[in-house]
Amino acid sequence: MKFPSEPFKIKVVEPIKRTTREERDRLLREAGYNLFHVPADSVYVDLLTDSGTSAMSDHQWAGLMLGDESYAGSKNYYHLEAVVRSIFGYRHVIPTHQGRMAENLLFSTVVKPGMSVPNNIHFDTTRANVEHQGAEALDLVIKEAYDPHCELPFKGNMDVLRLEETINRVGRERIPLAMVTITNNSGGGQPVSMENIRRTRALLNRYGIPLIFDACRFAENCFFIKERESGYEDTSVREIARELFSYGDGCTMSAKKDGLVNIGGFLGLNDERWTQDITNMLILVEGFPTYGGLAGRDLEAMARGLEEVLDEEYLRFRISQVRYLGELLDNGRVPILKPIGGHAVYLNAKEFLPQIPQDQFPAQALAVALYREFGIRGVEIGTVMFGKRDPVTGGTNYPELELVRLAIPRRVYTNMQITYVAESIADLFTHRDTIGGLVMTYEAPLLRHFTARFEEWAPVVTR
């Protein structure tokens, strides 16, 4: 079966309501045309993010009842520690309440002003946490990643030649670590191959630079390796994960993605000194090392979710449901980034709305139109999120890709709802000439996409 049916049945349902176009238009104006400010109960299908939006299993819910809320030495921590060691292989497990805190703890401990941190592509919070330390976040993904029509199977790969050139240009002493994000979210949810990880590791070994994975979608990346990389067809996803992480010195993890939980994360590390320094900071800002800002029940749900995400029947459905949406759109000639990624489909806003220049935020305009017309919420991955002010000229340096990400929550929506999304976008594409651009009226100095406000350049034509 090309698109297998759901490998689960529904036990609890949550009602969702439909709003009128007039209601959504009013909500958009009140929100400053920023979809982060739209109330969730006024969204029909919410594809803003796959982070923390998963439906937990009955096994995870049962685990909540076994929460040990002891301040120190919770049994749920030791369960999580055992699970993380069995999958990721790292000696030290430091729980955090979510991934960006794991990033903050790592970078505030080992990254100093004037340093540089290379990555295939940093995502928003990763980049912000690096830059908050006065360091430079460098994106060194292969050049094909910026071609939305290129269908390389591993478009998330690190450009190893550019990485070596960067090390020689910057100087090894100014690079405290290198990162690889799996899958590469900002580049379209694209996976990284095992061969590329081995080559990256070999290069970093020559310079004595640690390799840290951003592992929040590790299971999806490992499934793509099994599906696409020669020699791994008969290898289990768990075994692929163990090999992949063996090439690293640690990882940051937002368990709100491939941990299948609504809150939680961790740092996995081998280095004793880093672990001690980070743990000292953890106690100051998060809590005792065996709870890390989480309740015991949340630690238990995370431990169980990390095991469940490796179920290959689940992963086959997960990847196939995303692919199903992408292929419906592609068959309708809607411009999307190819190949279809692991957790989301990315609309190519430059081709969807060629009439809107980048300084009028075409991806944001497209996301606004999709919500206004159909109650579907996506997120802009383009000039709003990654455009940067030039400190000299005051102008904007524009990103190469202008995308709207449709991130599909895990085990939440049925294929009928996914079909509704595809048909709605296809309809919007036929009326794309009615969509106008936006002007930004407020921006924060960091992570501006969360709080920015906009106005429309011209009144939108009502269909």
Side-chain angles (χ1 to χ4, degrees):
M1 188 181 297
K2 189 174 183 183
F3 298 112
S5 59
E6 289 83 350
F8 52 83
K9 58 184 179 181
I10 296 170
K11 185 173 290 188
V12 177
V13 297
E14 175 188 349
I16 53 177
K17 70 177 183 180
R18 294 182 185 270
T19 52
T20 65
R21 186 185 188 281
E22 290 71 24
E23 288 173 309
R24 295 191 295 272
D25 186 59
R26 174 182 57 80
L27 288 168
L28 282 168
R29 282 185 272 110
E30 293 173 354
Y33 299 95
N34 187 333
L35 294 165
F36 283 100
H37 299 166
V38 171
D41 63 0
S42 296
V43 177
Y44 180 59
V45 178
D46 200 347
L47 308 181
L48 181 78
T49 182
D50 63 320
S51 178
T53 56
S54 299
M56 292 202 303
S57 69
D58 54 355
H59 185 59
Q60 287 176 288
W61 278 104
L64 295 182
M65 300 305 295
L66 300 177
D68 172 6
E69 306 308 336
S70 303
Y71 184 89
S74 165
K75 67 181 181 183
N76 309 118
Y77 167 76
Y78 295 114
H79 183 198
L80 174 66
E81 180 185 55
V83 169
V84 171
R85 285 177 174 172
S86 72
I87 298 170
F88 298 82
Y90 301 126
R91 291 193 296 271
H92 306 290
V93 181
I94 304 170
T96 63
H97 78 275
Q98 60 180 16
R100 73 187 64 179
M101 177 51 73
E103 294 168 349
N104 180 272
L105 288 167
L106 176 66
F107 298 141
S108 64
T109 301
V110 305
V111 176
K112 309 302 179 189
M115 288 183 169
S116 297
V117 177
N119 200 330
N120 46 358
I121 302 184
H122 294 78
F123 197 57
D124 57 353
T125 61
T126 322
R127 182 183 307 280
N129 271 301
V130 170
E131 293 176 348
H132 187 61
Q133 302 306 318
E136 182 182 26
L138 298 173
D139 296 337
L140 302 177
V141 72
I142 57 174
K143 65 180 186 303
E144 290 86 354
Y146 297 107
D147 179 357
H149 303 289
C150 176
E151 297 212 43
L152 277 179
F154 293 101
K155 278 173 71 175
N157 281 356
M158 178 78 80
D159 188 327
V160 180
L161 289 177
R162 286 178 64 208
L163 176 59
E164 184 161 29
E165 290 168 359
T166 299
I167 295 170
N168 291 326
R169 175 178 58 82
V170 172
R172 185 266 169 265
E173 70 283 354
R174 290 180 54 211
I175 301 178
L177 59 90
M179 295 194 76
V180 173
T181 301
I182 52 174
T183 56
N184 184 8
N185 189 0
S186 300
Q190 302 298 317
V192 181
S193 72
M194 192 75 81
E195 182 208 3
N196 183 255
I197 291 167
R198 280 195 294 265
R199 290 179 59 213
T200 301
R201 172 75 273 176
L203 171 64
L204 295 174
N205 279 346
R206 295 208 301 271
Y207 291 91
I209 298 173
L211 173 60
I212 303 294
F213 290 103
D214 178 340
C216 61
R217 297 178 180 87
F218 78 96
E220 293 170 8
N221 198 102
C222 291
F223 188 83
F224 277 126
I225 288 173
K226 180 180 178 70
E227 192 177 59
R228 298 178 180 178
E229 191 162 0
S230 177
Y232 289 94
E233 304 89 349
D234 300 321
T235 308
S236 72
V237 170
R238 178 184 284 270
E239 291 172 311
I240 292 170
R242 281 305 301 265
E243 179 184 347
L244 186 154
F245 290 114
S246 74
Y247 300 121
D249 297 287
C251 70
T252 62
M253 176 73 184
S254 169
K256 294 165 67 175
K257 286 83 167 175
D258 273 355
L260 301 178
V261 289
N262 308 123
I263 197 70
F266 63 85
L267 265 167
L269 293 170
N270 284 332
D271 188 277
E272 291 276 358
R273 182 175 57 82
W274 281 13
T275 299
Q276 186 60 63
D277 292 344
I278 287 170
T279 300
N280 291 339
M281 181 63 69
L282 175 86
I283 293 171
L284 177 66
V285 299
E286 280 280 82
F288 195 72
T290 55
Y291 77 87
L294 292 167
R297 55 183 174 268
D298 295 319
L299 296 170
E300 184 65 28
M302 184 166 29
R304 295 181 180 216
L306 288 167
E307 292 280 7
E308 288 182 12
V309 79
L310 296 173
D311 174 36
E312 294 184 18
E313 196 65 28
Y314 155 77
L315 283 167
R316 188 170 294 108
F317 170 75
R318 165 67 175 165
I319 300 298
S320 294
Q321 187 177 51
V322 176
R323 190 173 295 154
Y324 173 64
L325 173 58
E327 293 193 354
L328 285 176
L329 293 173
D330 192 39
N331 291 339
R333 302 191 180 281
V334 174
I336 62 172
L337 187 144
K338 297 180 181 178
I340 298 159
H343 69 288
V345 174
Y346 294 68
L347 303 178
N348 182 353
K350 282 186 179 178
E351 294 184 12
F352 200 114
L353 300 175
Q355 75 274 20
I356 301 179
Q358 269 190 285
D359 63 0
Q360 294 181 23
F361 310 106
Q364 185 71 18
L366 177 54
V368 165
L370 184 59
Y371 174 72
R372 175 188 275 127
E373 299 300 334
F374 299 104
I376 299 165
R377 179 162 66 170
V379 70
E380 191 261 15
I381 308 280
T383 299
V384 179
M385 185 176 289
F386 290 122
K388 301 190 84 171
R389 296 288 186 191
D390 188 297
V392 177
T393 67
T396 300
N397 295 321
Y398 295 102
E400 294 190 54
L401 295 174
E402 195 75 32
L403 308 171
V404 173
R405 185 187 70 180
L406 306 171
I408 299 179
R410 296 162 181 79
R411 304 189 295 203
V412 171
Y413 290 117
T414 68
N415 283 340
M416 184 63 72
Q417 289 164 315
I418 297 300
T419 303
Y420 167 79
V421 171
E423 291 177 350
S424 299
I425 294 170
D427 182 83
L428 187 64
F429 186 58
T430 64
H431 300 92
R432 58 193 179 277
D433 58 339
T434 65
I435 301 172
L438 299 168
V439 58
M440 188 180 292
T441 60
Y442 167 76
E443 62 176 300
L446 289 173
L447 297 172
R448 67 180 186 175
H449 52 289
F450 288 122
T451 56
R453 297 186 71 85
F454 305 86
E455 291 179 355
E456 293 185 298
W457 274 106
V460 174
V461 177
T462 302
R463 296 198 276 126

